[in-house]
Amino acid sequence: MFEIMTRFFRFCGTKNKHKFYLAVAIGIVNSFFMALRIGAVAVMLRGIIESLQDKAPFGTGTIKLSFAIMLCSIIGSIITKKTMTMLQTEAGYSTCANKRIEIAEHLRYLPMGYFNANSLGYITSVTTNTMEMLGDVATRVVMMVSQGILDTALIIVMIAFFDWRIALIATAGFALFFVINSLMRMNVRSISAEKAKADSTAVEQVLEYIQGIAEVKAYNMTGRQSEKLNKSIAESVRVNTAMEFKCIPLSNVQSLVAKFTGVAVLLASIYFYLQGTMQLADCATMLVCSFMLFTALEVGGNYSALLRTVDLSVEKATEILDLPTMDIEGKDIVPQDTSIQADNISFSYTKNGQAEIIQKGRTIINDVSLTIPAKTTTAVVGPSGSGKSTLCHLFARFWDVDSGTISLGTANIRDYSIDSLMKNFSFVFQNVYLFQDTIANNIRFGEPDAPMEKVIEAAKKASCHEFISALPDGYNTVIGEGGANLSGGEKQRISIARAIMKDSPVIVLDEATANVDPENERELVAAISELTKEKTVIMIAHRLKTVRNADQIIVLNDGQIAEKGKHEELMKKGGIYARFVSDRREAVSWRL
């Protein structure tokens, strides 16, 4: 129990950990004020009994002393309870927020393969459900358990001042309570991991169902897909119910131990009084204490079953934070020029557990060397799976190469800090992702504080100012997540405006015009032309018109450079590129 709480406090970080420790310290003071009620009751009972025995009037001094002690107890417990609750609430929610940010920052420096191998549902589950549970439930569980222990321990100490024998009985009940509590937590441990997995799976299935709803409806798979979703939800219900049933029996036994200990204190006090070894006033005080003894501990004990779940949640978050990042200890370098040099680079993927990490495996890029001069256009072509996208992503260090080196300017890209390296690259992908925000904020994504004039200027250059202005709220139009309420060409042009705003010296166009209809193609080509002025351009393309004017064409096949040169040179060779052009011309000539 204490090990789990210590691990949780350590997970919270230095600042929040100290807040929790301070909350525990104030909790001790709070327990002391709560225990003062026994003193107030004892003073009052002693005064009443003595006045009855002496047949003397009940003195106002006793009433005032008892009232003063009770008032001190009430005011002190209110102040300490408020302070303690505020500290633990601030620390809990601050931990939740900080860890979400920390996980987001950590994900920035993981190899891109991690995201290929891990479902969105898992990451979403950790950053939402898990963090919310830690910020809310875990905080209360940990503090209620610790406060229950403190309250009961101080009441036992207070009892010891009256009669050590009663304190010994209470201590025995206290120890037996913890034995039962340990058994309950051991019983829950066997199903806690299953519960965490079932909850994550349910989140994954909900996300998958919602994201793929168009395909589900299109292929009339609504029943089958919903059955899969329902099964995951039913499994979550089953596991959570099973966990409750594992807790309930021992929780009841735990409660009975607390109640019977109170009864034992009550009976022992009466027995000692009848034997003449305890004064009537002390006996009456012990009777009151028997009802107060385990009140806080019972509540904390019942919640302690969730400590294992808290521990698993900490493990899940720590698991992501412990994933090895790429070597990011670089310098903030400004390249002398934007030429790119690759020397004998090789790269391969392999799967290891949940994360797809870089090791020896299926070779994607095999001993490739090339030079891309600054402010030139290089086209990368080749059959599907030849490594085109992977090669371009290696230039921006989305992954680290297995062997060889890549340089930007005169410096190895590993010598750059990730942030200073990424300042030099802008990407326009085939599949554009836009955030659920205003169009203006999507365009200024890389420069959040950019003035509206600059946003409009970038939009005009990207040939999207006209259609944006025609929208009901113009640049303040909130677009759906992923840009769901815009056409493919409109999304592409907004992404180009975003890249223009960033104004990086190296532009990577990954099949940027592949899925664009003819009506949008003219504007898109104009936007790309504006984006790539005086830039180092690397394009992956299948359309002949976007390739033939490149300064050099790299033809990849099976991860190696099969051909390299200008359009005319490669056409004369009659190799892979010439066949590529011939196939495209034949496809274009087809008519219905």
Side-chain angles (χ1 to χ4, degrees), residues 39-303:
V41 171
V43 168
M44 183 64 74
L45 289 173
R46 189 179 297 275
I48 293 171
I49 292 170
E50 287 179 354
S51 68
L52 291 173
Q53 288 175 341
D54 297 339
K55 295 182 179 180
F58 188 60
T60 57
T62 301
I63 297 174
K64 289 178 180 177
L65 178 59
S66 178
F67 178 77
I69 295 173
M70 184 62 76
L71 186 64
C72 179
S73 172
I74 293 172
I75 294 174
S77 61
I78 290 173
I79 293 172
T80 52
K81 181 71 173 178
K82 175 182 177 295
T83 307
M84 179 180 65
T85 303
M86 288 302 297
L87 280 170
Q88 71 188 50
T89 302
E90 287 174 8
Y93 286 112
S94 179
T95 296
C96 176
N98 291 343
K99 287 301 174 181
R100 280 173 172 158
I101 294 170
E102 189 177 342
I103 289 172
E105 286 295 314
H106 190 77
L107 293 175
R108 289 178 60 199
Y109 302 112
L110 291 178
M112 286 297 292
Y114 173 81
F115 305 100
N116 291 336
N118 282 266
S119 70
L120 178 63
Y122 178 75
I123 299 174
T124 303
S125 177
V126 172
T127 54
T128 55
N129 291 1
T130 302
M131 288 299 102
E132 190 66 28
M133 203 278 289
L134 285 175
D136 189 1
V137 178
T139 301
R140 282 157 177 74
V141 167
V142 169
M143 295 311 298
M144 288 179 77
V145 171
S146 59
Q147 196 60 39
I149 295 170
L150 290 172
D151 283 356
T152 305
L154 277 175
I155 288 174
I156 291 174
V157 170
M158 187 71 75
I159 289 173
F161 282 102
F162 292 90
D163 193 294
W164 65 268
R165 295 168 299 179
I166 301 299
L168 195 62
I169 294 171
T171 303
F174 193 53
L176 183 58
F177 182 95
F178 270 99
V179 170
I180 304 300
N181 185 264
S182 297
L183 291 174
M184 182 173 67
R185 285 185 287 108
M186 288 174 62
N187 209 25
V188 168
R189 183 181 302 171
S190 62
I191 201 170
S192 293
E194 194 178 347
K195 172 188 171 359
K197 183 180 179 182
D199 290 344
S200 289
T201 302
V203 173
E204 290 172 16
Q205 290 300 322
V206 169
L207 282 172
E208 182 180 289
Y209 185 81
I210 293 171
Q211 290 174 335
I213 193 66
E215 284 74 15
V216 170
K217 288 185 175 182
Y219 288 91
N220 197 26
M221 298 288 287
T222 309
R224 292 186 184 181
Q225 286 300 113
S226 61
E227 182 181 349
K228 188 178 178 182
L229 173 62
N230 290 340
K231 280 183 178 179
S232 67
I233 294 173
E235 176 65 11
S236 179
V237 171
R238 184 195 68 78
V239 172
N240 279 278
T241 304
M243 186 173 184
E244 289 297 323
F245 278 116
K246 281 181 175 289
C247 290
I248 288 170
L250 287 171
S251 177
N252 288 334
V253 173
Q254 183 178 259
S255 182
L256 285 173
V257 167
K259 297 292 191 296
F260 279 127
T261 302
V263 172
V265 167
L266 185 148
L267 294 176
S269 299
I270 294 173
Y271 176 77
F272 293 145
Y273 167 70
L274 294 175
Q275 292 295 313
T277 57
M278 180 183 286
Q279 295 181 11
L280 180 59
D282 291 344
C283 177
T285 303
M286 292 303 99
L287 296 183
V288 174
C289 287
S290 68
F291 293 98
M292 298 170 56
L293 186 58
F294 284 102
T295 302
L297 188 62
E298 273 194 87
V299 177
N302 290 333
Y303 275 97

Side-chain angles (χ1 to χ4, degrees), residues 177-439:
F177 182 95
F178 270 99
V179 170
I180 304 300
N181 185 264
S182 297
L183 291 174
M184 182 173 67
R185 285 185 287 108
M186 288 174 62
N187 209 25
V188 168
R189 183 181 302 171
S190 62
I191 201 170
S192 293
E194 194 178 347
K195 172 188 171 359
K197 183 180 179 182
D199 290 344
S200 289
T201 302
V203 173
E204 290 172 16
Q205 290 300 322
V206 169
L207 282 172
E208 182 180 289
Y209 185 81
I210 293 171
Q211 290 174 335
I213 193 66
E215 284 74 15
V216 170
K217 288 185 175 182
Y219 288 91
N220 197 26
M221 298 288 287
T222 309
R224 292 186 184 181
Q225 286 300 113
S226 61
E227 182 181 349
K228 188 178 178 182
L229 173 62
N230 290 340
K231 280 183 178 179
S232 67
I233 294 173
E235 176 65 11
S236 179
V237 171
R238 184 195 68 78
V239 172
N240 279 278
T241 304
M243 186 173 184
E244 289 297 323
F245 278 116
K246 281 181 175 289
C247 290
I248 288 170
L250 287 171
S251 177
N252 288 334
V253 173
Q254 183 178 259
S255 182
L256 285 173
V257 167
K259 297 292 191 296
F260 279 127
T261 302
V263 172
V265 167
L266 185 148
L267 294 176
S269 299
I270 294 173
Y271 176 77
F272 293 145
Y273 167 70
L274 294 175
Q275 292 295 313
T277 57
M278 180 183 286
Q279 295 181 11
L280 180 59
D282 291 344
C283 177
T285 303
M286 292 303 99
L287 296 183
V288 174
C289 287
S290 68
F291 293 98
M292 298 170 56
L293 186 58
F294 284 102
T295 302
L297 188 62
E298 273 194 87
V299 177
N302 290 333
Y303 275 97
S304 67
L306 294 173
L307 282 174
R308 179 58 185 163
T309 304
V310 171
D311 198 35
L312 283 172
S313 297
V314 169
E315 285 179 11
K316 286 174 69 176
T318 304
E319 183 181 288
I320 292 180
L321 292 171
D322 286 344
L323 285 168
T325 60
M326 298 166 67
D327 179 15
I328 57 174
E329 297 299 324
K331 303 174 184 176
D332 290 336
I333 300 173
V334 178
Q336 295 179 355
D337 61 62
T338 54
S339 61
I340 296 173
Q341 178 78 36
D343 294 314
N344 306 111
I345 62 171
S346 295
F347 173 77
S348 57
Y349 296 115
T350 187
K351 288 193 174 182
N352 182 0
Q354 286 186 320
E356 191 173 38
I357 62 174
I358 302 158
Q359 291 179 346
K360 293 296 178 184
R362 186 172 75 87
T363 301
I364 304 299
I365 302 298
N366 186 13
D367 196 27
V368 168
S369 296
L370 62 89
T371 299
I372 300 174
K375 298 183 180 180
T376 63
T377 297
T378 297
V380 183
V381 300
S384 178
S386 60
K388 302 184 296 297
S389 294
T390 300
L391 178 64
C392 293
H393 292 166
L394 289 174
F395 294 149
R397 208 183 169 198
F398 279 16
W399 296 276
D400 276 329
V401 294
D402 294 339
S403 61
T405 60
I406 298 174
S407 301
L408 174 64
T410 57
N412 190 320
I413 60 172
R414 289 182 186 237
D415 295 334
Y416 288 79
S417 67
I418 289 293
D419 291 335
S420 68
L421 178 65
M422 290 310 299
K423 285 179 181 177
N424 295 285
F425 288 88
S426 286
F427 287 83
V428 179
F429 295 108
Q430 176 181 351
N431 298 316
V432 176
Y433 187 87
L434 299 178
F435 296 92
Q436 188 169 358
D437 202 342
T438 64
I439 289 178

